[in-house]
Amino acid sequence: MKLRYALTGLAALALGVGFSLAAQHPPDAVQGEFVRIINVHVPASWLAFLAFAGTLVGSLGWFATRRSGFDSFAAASAEIGVFFTALSLLTGMIWGQVTWGIAWDWGDARMASTALMLFIYLGYLGLRRGLADPQERAKRSAVVGALGFLIVPVVYFSVNVFRSLHQTQSARPDGWQIESSAIVVSMLTNLAAYSLVYLAFVVWRTAQEAELGRARVDDLAGAAISPPTIGVDRD
């Protein structure tokens, strides 16, 4: 319990620092104040990748050990990933409208693949809610959680392989593609802050998911027990 509160407090503090730096760096010559969206859009995208990697780890961990804790971790991580994927898409649409004059283009590889990633993990969460048996739910979810991660590298490298309105990665072996060092510092700070947010969320949510799992098992066990019939007239 103390770890949860400590992580939550640290994440909140890091977010405060990140937003403060984002508010201080200068506006872009072309995008103006809208360049500050980079401090939410990029970290949200990173967090989605990180969360779905967590789902992969949890799924593989369940296959290796059959421990319910890995299943709970995979589920919690997927929920967080779905939320931040949606946030990434929303902020990207706002940014795209300002930068490109269009909020959405299905012909853009990054947009289309990110939307597909969102649908895959929404399906993962839907599958979990459609199965009552804990073992069957864990097994099928682990399959989808492991295979679903294949979309993540597709999303990440889509700007290099396919036609895209997006530029290629900002951080490359030949250096940063962002001229303002203040923007780089604030973006990296927010990346670290959002990573702490993920850790805090996943610790809380894994614990809740584990408690729900135990409650479901207790309910199933209770349903299998018939009430005593001693002294009851059967006529």
Side-chain angles (χ1 to χ4, degrees):
M1 184 65 73
K2 291 182 179 180
L3 174 62
R4 302 185 209 176
Y5 287 112
L7 278 174
T8 302
L10 187 59
L13 177 61
L15 280 176
V17 173
F19 287 152
S20 175
L21 290 175
Q24 293 176 26
H25 71 62
D28 183 72
V30 177
Q31 301 174 54
E33 299 293 346
F34 284 96
V35 73
R36 302 187 198 282
I37 295 177
I38 196 173
N39 295 284
V40 178
H41 178 69
V42 173
S45 301
W46 155 250
L47 204 61
F49 295 154
L50 177 63
F52 295 144
T55 299
L56 171 65
V57 170
S59 299
L60 296 178
W62 184 88
F63 274 125
T65 66
R66 294 300 195 269
R67 292 183 179 178
S68 61
F70 282 109
D71 179 56
S72 298
F73 172 72
S77 203
E79 290 180 354
I80 298 166
V82 163
F83 173 80
F84 280 99
T85 301
L87 180 61
S88 173
L89 287 172
L90 177 61
T91 53
M93 290 170 65
I94 296 172
W95 204 0
Q97 184 63 50
V98 173
T99 305
W100 306 318
I102 182 172
W104 188 266
D105 178 9
W106 280 107
D108 180 86
R110 173 60 65 81
M111 293 183 195
S113 58
T114 302
L116 177 59
M117 182 172 70
L118 177 63
F119 295 148
I120 287 173
Y121 283 96
L122 282 172
Y124 170 89
L125 296 178
L127 173 66
R128 297 191 62 86
R129 282 157 178 73
L131 296 170
D133 181 75
Q135 287 299 312
E136 191 66 20
R137 179 176 59 250
K139 181 174 69 175
R140 296 192 183 188
S141 299
V143 172
V144 177
L147 294 179
F149 187 76
L150 293 174
I151 189 62
V152 173
V154 173
V155 175
Y156 183 77
F157 291 109
S158 60
V159 292
N160 298 331
V161 179
F162 305 103
R163 183 189 75 83
S164 178
L165 293 171
H166 288 78
Q167 67 180 41
T168 56
Q169 287 83 5
S170 298
R172 289 188 260 171
D174 58 342
W176 283 92
Q177 305 305 305
I178 300 175
E179 295 182 359
S180 172
S181 59
I183 293 177
V184 172
V185 169
S186 67
M187 185 182 69
L188 290 178
T189 302
N190 279 288
L191 277 171
Y194 275 55
S195 298
L196 287 172
V197 168
Y198 166 74
L199 289 176
F201 278 3
V202 81
V203 167
W204 279 99
R205 200 60 193 94
T206 298
Q208 291 175 348
E209 187 67 20
E211 291 168 5
L212 286 173
R214 286 192 292 269
R216 294 189 193 105
V217 171
D218 291 341
D219 289 343
L220 288 173
I225 300 174
S226 301
T229 57
I230 298 175
V232 176
D233 188 358
R234 295 178 179 274
D235 295 333

